Amino acid sequence: MADKDVAHTDERGYAPEPWWAGVGTWGALAMIAVGALLAAWIFLRLPGTPPEPTHGYYGASKVIALGLVLVGGTLLNRRRTRTAATEEANPQDGPQSG
């Protein structure tokens, strides 16, 4: 097989992003609120509550945890961006020996 028969591309075959990858800060806060409302719904045993409440609490805790991780990641990214912008605006001459 000749080299010209093989197509070379620089694209990599990454899997599609998960559904929650682009929700942003407000979406993550909404996920936390929805998880808390779901937990309260289960606690009050309102209609639609699963027969075994632990399954419902497990689902609510997953939604809350995912929202917390997304909020934390967003806040850390903002902090890194702000720190990088500050260092760019105020360049140092290198480490100062003292």
Side-chain angles (χ1 to χ4, degrees):
M1 193 155 125
D3 287 335
K4 62 183 176 180
D5 293 338
V6 179
H8 295 284
T9 61
D10 290 336
E11 296 178 19
R12 297 185 182 197
Y14 291 116
E17 292 182 339
W19 63 268
W20 46 263
V23 297
T25 306
W26 291 110
L29 290 173
M31 287 176 66
I32 295 169
V34 166
L37 287 172
L38 181 60
W41 188 279
I42 295 165
F43 179 76
L44 296 173
R45 301 238 181 220
L46 296 174
T49 302
E52 186 64 36
T54 55
H55 297 297
Y57 287 128
Y58 177 69
S61 67
K62 287 194 317 185
V63 172
I64 292 170
L66 186 57
L68 288 172
V69 167
L70 290 172
V71 166
T74 303
L75 293 177
L76 282 175
N77 190 26
R78 284 185 184 177
R79 183 176 178 193
R80 283 188 199 129
T81 304
R82 186 178 299 146
T83 302
T86 303
E87 288 176 357
E88 228 175 69
N90 301 324
Q92 300 285 331
D93 291 337
Q96 308 247 342
S97 59

